[in-house]
Amino acid sequence: VHADGTVLRGQPHMRNHAGTFAWLNNNPGNLTGVQGGPDLGQYAGKFNWHHFLIFPSREAGYDAIGTFLRGASYRDLNITQALQRYAPASDGNDPVKYAQDVAQAAGVPTTTLIRDLDDNQMRVMQDKIAEIEGAVPGTTLTRDSEDLPAEVRALLPA
């Protein structure tokens, strides 16, 4: 439930279907975290499936991608190394292709260190990461929507 009283509905368990986790969580980079982890602008202590962080707005989630990559764990890695950590093969990703696509979009080699990216190159990387992660919008329902189950409506704040 958003501050404006709307409820988001999606099918996040279905890859590339309406209402992905990236969209539901305002987390276009599908950033994950742990209890007590770094503050990237997310709601503190709130996570979704796979420990995805939940942000108050898409802009906050988008900005967090750059903040995250420029953090101590990533800034000294090259793009390939960073994407192998960010989107590991163990999660069903192809991190080498991911790195190639992100680097190509930014117009730099995959061997470029994250710390050497300028702000524009980082924004282009953030855009490409958001595209690859697949924030597909779902349905936004209002409190009075006939599509909102009565059981859910009853749980909404007045």
Side-chain angles (χ1 to χ4, degrees):
V1 178
H2 283 256
D4 65 2
T6 57
V7 175
L8 302 182
R9 181 175 65 191
Q11 296 176 305
H13 58 290
M14 303 290 289
R15 188 172 195 110
N16 297 321
H17 279 71
T20 59
F21 279 116
W23 177 75
L24 287 168
N25 299 332
N26 285 321
N27 185 350
N30 275 331
L31 295 169
T32 60
V34 295
Q35 212 53 267
D39 180 1
L40 300 172
Q42 77 274 16
Y43 288 114
K46 293 191 179 205
F47 303 93
N48 211 320
W49 175 84
H50 199 66
H51 294 270
F52 289 132
L53 300 175
I54 303 170
F55 292 90
S57 68
R58 186 202 182 275
E59 295 76 25
Y62 176 85
D63 291 345
I65 300 168
T67 302
F68 184 78
L69 290 175
R70 286 190 164 140
S73 296
Y74 286 85
R75 68 175 167 236
D76 294 326
L77 301 177
N78 68 39
I79 293 172
T80 298
Q81 293 165 330
L83 273 295
Q84 286 172 328
R85 182 178 291 174
Y86 185 96
S90 61
D91 283 353
N93 298 296
D94 181 346
V96 173
K97 176 154 179 27
Y98 200 134
Q100 291 168 342
D101 291 346
V102 168
Q104 181 180 15
V108 298
T110 56
T111 55
T112 303
L113 298 180
I114 297 297
R115 70 170 180 246
D116 293 336
L117 297 167
D118 65 28
D119 290 345
N120 186 56
Q121 291 166 326
M122 180 58 77
R123 276 190 297 279
V124 171
M125 279 187 55
Q126 288 170 242
D127 290 342
K128 190 64 176 180
I129 287 169
E131 177 188 319
I132 291 169
E133 292 296 329
V136 179
T139 305
T140 301
L141 302 170
T142 60
R143 178 182 198 80
D144 58 352
S145 171
E146 291 182 16
D147 292 330
L148 188 65
E151 298 83 12
V152 173
R153 192 176 302 113
L155 297 171
L156 297 176

Coordinates of all heavy atoms in Angstrom, one line a residue, residues 16-24 26-30 58 129-138:
N16 N 9.0 -11.4 -16.4 CA 8.6 -10.5 -17.5 C 7.1 -10.4 -17.7 O 6.7 -9.9 -18.7 CB 9.3 -10.8 -18.8 CG 10.8 -10.7 -18.7 OD1 11.3 -9.8 -18.1 ND2 11.5 -11.6 -19.3
H17 N 6.3 -10.8 -16.7 CA 4.9 -10.6 -16.7 C 4.6 -9.3 -16.0 O 5.4 -8.7 -15.3 CB 4.1 -11.7 -16.1 CG 4.0 -12.9 -17.0 ND1 5.0 -13.7 -17.3 CD2 2.9 -13.4 -17.6 CE1 4.6 -14.7 -18.1 NE2 3.3 -14.5 -18.3
A18 N 3.4 -8.8 -16.1 CA 3.0 -7.6 -15.4 C 3.2 -7.6 -13.9 O 2.9 -8.6 -13.3 CB 1.5 -7.3 -15.7
G19 N 3.7 -6.5 -13.4 CA 3.9 -6.4 -11.9 C 5.1 -7.2 -11.4 O 5.0 -7.9 -10.4
T20 N 6.3 -7.0 -11.9 CA 7.5 -7.6 -11.5 C 7.9 -7.1 -10.1 O 7.5 -6.0 -9.7 CB 8.6 -7.4 -12.5 OG1 8.9 -6.0 -12.6 CG2 8.3 -8.0 -13.8
F21 N 8.8 -7.8 -9.4 CA 9.3 -7.3 -8.1 C 10.0 -6.0 -8.3 O 9.8 -5.1 -7.4 CB 10.3 -8.3 -7.5 CG 9.6 -9.5 -6.8 CD1 9.8 -10.8 -7.3 CD2 8.9 -9.3 -5.7 CE1 9.2 -11.8 -6.6 CE2 8.2 -10.3 -5.0 CZ 8.4 -11.6 -5.5
A22 N 10.7 -5.8 -9.4 CA 11.4 -4.5 -9.6 C 10.4 -3.3 -9.6 O 10.6 -2.3 -9.0 CB 12.2 -4.5 -10.9
W23 N 9.2 -3.5 -10.2 CA 8.1 -2.5 -10.2 C 7.4 -2.4 -8.8 O 7.3 -1.3 -8.3 CB 7.1 -2.8 -11.3 CG 6.0 -1.9 -11.4 CD1 6.0 -0.6 -11.8 CD2 4.7 -2.1 -10.9 NE1 4.8 0.0 -11.7 CE2 3.9 -0.9 -11.2 CE3 4.0 -3.2 -10.3 CZ2 2.6 -0.8 -10.8 CZ3 2.7 -3.1 -10.0 CH2 2.0 -1.9 -10.3
L24 N 7.0 -3.6 -8.3 CA 6.3 -3.6 -7.0 C 7.1 -2.9 -5.9 O 6.6 -2.2 -5.0 CB 5.9 -5.0 -6.6 CG 4.8 -5.7 -7.4 CD1 4.8 -7.2 -7.0 CD2 3.5 -5.0 -7.1
N26 N 9.6 -0.6 -6.3 CA 10.2 0.6 -6.7 C 11.7 0.4 -6.7 O 12.5 1.2 -6.3 CB 9.9 1.8 -5.8 CG 8.5 2.3 -6.0 OD1 8.1 2.4 -7.2 ND2 7.8 2.6 -5.0
N27 N 12.2 -0.8 -7.2 CA 13.6 -1.2 -7.1 C 14.0 -1.6 -8.5 O 14.1 -2.8 -8.7 CB 13.7 -2.3 -6.1 CG 15.1 -2.8 -5.8 OD1 16.0 -2.4 -6.5 ND2 15.2 -3.6 -4.8
P28 N 14.2 -0.7 -9.4 CA 14.5 -1.1 -10.8 C 15.8 -1.9 -11.0 O 16.0 -2.5 -12.0 CB 14.6 0.2 -11.5 CG 14.8 1.3 -10.5 CD 14.2 0.8 -9.2
G29 N 16.7 -1.8 -10.0 CA 17.9 -2.6 -10.0 C 17.8 -3.9 -9.3 O 18.8 -4.7 -9.3
N30 N 16.7 -4.3 -8.8 CA 16.5 -5.5 -8.0 C 17.6 -5.6 -6.9 O 18.1 -6.7 -6.8 CB 16.4 -6.7 -8.9 CG 15.0 -7.0 -9.4 OD1 14.0 -6.6 -8.7 ND2 14.9 -7.5 -10.5
R58 N 10.3 5.1 -7.3 CA 11.2 4.6 -8.3 C 12.5 5.4 -8.3 O 13.5 4.8 -8.5 CB 10.5 4.6 -9.6 CG 11.4 3.9 -10.7 CD 11.1 4.3 -12.1 NE 11.9 3.5 -13.0 CZ 13.2 3.8 -13.4 NH1 13.7 4.9 -12.8 NH2 13.9 3.1 -14.2
I129 N 20.9 -1.4 -16.5 CA 20.6 -2.4 -15.4 C 19.0 -2.5 -15.2 O 18.5 -3.5 -15.1 CB 21.3 -2.0 -14.1 CG1 22.8 -2.3 -14.3 CG2 20.7 -2.7 -12.9 CD1 23.7 -1.8 -13.2
A130 N 18.4 -1.3 -15.1 CA 16.9 -1.3 -14.9 C 16.2 -2.0 -16.1 O 15.3 -2.7 -15.9 CB 16.4 0.1 -14.8
E131 N 16.7 -1.8 -17.3 CA 16.1 -2.5 -18.5 C 16.3 -4.0 -18.4 O 15.4 -4.8 -18.6 CB 16.8 -2.0 -19.7 CG 16.3 -2.6 -21.0 CD 17.2 -2.2 -22.2 OE1 17.5 -1.0 -22.3 OE2 17.5 -3.1 -23.0
I132 N 17.5 -4.4 -18.0 CA 17.8 -5.8 -17.9 C 17.0 -6.5 -16.8 O 16.5 -7.6 -16.9 CB 19.3 -6.1 -17.7 CG1 20.1 -5.7 -19.0 CG2 19.6 -7.5 -17.3 CD1 21.6 -5.6 -18.9
E133 N 16.9 -5.8 -15.7 CA 16.2 -6.4 -14.5 C 14.7 -6.4 -14.8 O 14.0 -7.2 -14.1 CB 16.5 -5.6 -13.3 CG 17.9 -5.7 -12.8 CD 18.3 -7.1 -12.3 OE1 17.4 -7.8 -11.8 OE2 19.5 -7.5 -12.5
G134 N 14.2 -5.7 -15.7 CA 12.8 -5.8 -16.2 C 11.7 -5.4 -15.3 O 10.9 -6.1 -14.9
A135 N 11.7 -4.1 -15.0 CA 10.6 -3.5 -14.2 C 9.4 -3.4 -15.1 O 9.2 -2.4 -15.8 CB 11.0 -2.1 -13.6
V136 N 8.5 -4.4 -15.1 CA 7.3 -4.4 -15.9 C 6.1 -3.9 -15.0 O 5.8 -4.6 -14.0 CB 7.0 -5.8 -16.5 CG1 5.8 -5.8 -17.3 CG2 8.3 -6.2 -17.3
P137 N 5.5 -2.8 -15.3 CA 4.3 -2.4 -14.5 C 3.2 -3.4 -14.4 O 3.0 -4.1 -15.4 CB 3.9 -1.1 -15.2 CG 5.0 -0.7 -16.1 CD 5.7 -1.9 -16.4
G138 N 2.6 -3.4 -13.3 CA 1.4 -4.2 -13.1 C 0.2 -3.3 -13.0 O 0.1 -2.3 -13.8

